[in-house]
Amino acid sequence: MKKKWITFDLDGTLMQNPFEKWVFPEIEQLYNDSIGNVQANGIRSELIKEHHRRMNAGLIVDAFDWDDIVKHVFSTNGVSLPVDVAELVIKHTIPPKVYLLEENSLQNLQILREKGFHLAVVTNGFEKYQKPVMDALGLTSLFDVILTPDKARYGKPQINMVKELHDTTNEIVAHVGDRLDHDVTMANELNVLSILFHQEMPETIRSVQPKKRQDTCMEWLEMKWKQETGVEPLPLSAIPKMIICTMKEISRESLS
């Protein structure tokens, strides 16, 4: 009998990492201090621009190597200051700087394990950035496998990233994530249940069954796709088969 897997994204799905509010600001400060200009700005936008350049070039693994991105952007601007992004992540991995997006996340994941599912993390964040946060929030022990681009040498939405979980002895039954371009498109290409996490779902949509919510929020899905990719219209390959507002809903639904 095949092992049944449910795979999960991390950032924006299960947890909040410290990058946006803590790591990037400290990198900006280090840069500004090194050039002696406390009013300087824009280095973060250059980091993000380099990330997108790598993504658009198909260099998905490189696009999430923030140590290399910082080194490249600093060097391009004539700054040779060494910055260890992984160490900054560890420094700022302290609640409430990092937190679970749902109070009962750990219990809901444990329920899925008790139902016989194997759980795996499939994240585009490198292990050295993600695991410290997972450890601090109590997530690590609930997952059998953690797949990251630096280990798999692929990144979402490339389906080769999860090939070890979808073969003759394993079957991914569902993938849960918060992005259409990374998570939903990968799941749909694998022909597994694509589950989009939408925590701020309006009450009018919450009253609809999770597998029928797509029809009630197509306008929002179109807007989300454009925000994520900069293009339109929304392709069929990016439409989720289920939309949830809480992880608890997964255990209530049939995952076939």
Side-chain angles (χ1 to χ4, degrees), residues 93-240:
T93 296
I94 306 169
K97 293 181 180 181
V98 297
Y99 53 87
L100 295 170
L101 295 185
E102 289 189 281
E103 184 178 345
N104 297 322
S105 291
L106 303 183
Q107 295 93 318
N108 290 328
L109 291 171
Q110 182 59 37
I111 288 172
L112 293 174
R113 290 178 62 89
E114 291 170 359
K115 287 178 174 287
F117 293 108
H118 294 266
L119 306 185
V121 163
V122 180
T123 173
N124 274 348
F126 277 26
E127 183 176 40
K128 62 183 177 180
Y129 309 138
Q130 300 289 52
K131 194 169 182 297
V133 185
M134 291 182 65
D135 289 344
L137 298 177
L139 284 166
T140 307
S141 63
L142 292 168
F143 289 93
D144 304 286
V145 171
I146 299 174
L147 293 178
T148 59
D150 49 310
K151 292 167 62 178
R153 305 315 303 166
Y154 292 96
K156 295 181 297 184
Q158 296 171 317
I159 60 173
N160 278 337
M161 188 179 189
V162 295
K163 59 185 178 182
E164 69 180 77
L165 303 181
H166 206 59
D167 54 25
T168 56
T169 58
N170 298 279
E171 178 186 1
I172 299 174
V173 297
H175 174 71
V176 187
D178 69 310
R179 292 185 65 110
L180 301 176
D181 58 346
H182 294 171
D183 299 299
V184 171
T185 54
M186 182 187 73
N188 285 343
E189 186 174 352
L190 286 166
N191 197 29
V192 306
L193 183 63
S194 51
I195 303 178
L196 180 69
F197 179 62
H198 179 19
Q199 191 173 31
E200 304 301 322
M201 187 182 296
E203 288 298 328
T204 52
I205 301 178
R206 288 175 186 251
S207 62
V208 179
Q209 293 180 4
K211 287 186 177 180
K212 296 181 179 180
R213 286 173 177 158
Q214 314 92 306
D215 297 333
T216 65
C217 58
M218 285 301 298
E219 185 176 345
W220 173 75
L221 290 172
E222 291 272 6
M223 180 179 66
K224 181 173 173 60
W225 175 256
K226 187 175 181 180
Q227 288 174 341
E228 291 178 355
T229 67
V231 301
E232 53 186 349
L234 172 72
L236 290 176
S237 60
I239 298 176

Side-chain angles (χ1 to χ4, degrees), residues 232-247:
E232 53 186 349
L234 172 72
L236 290 176
S237 60
I239 298 176
K241 296 171 184 172
M242 182 189 298
I243 305 177
I244 60 171
C245 57
T246 172
M247 293 299 154

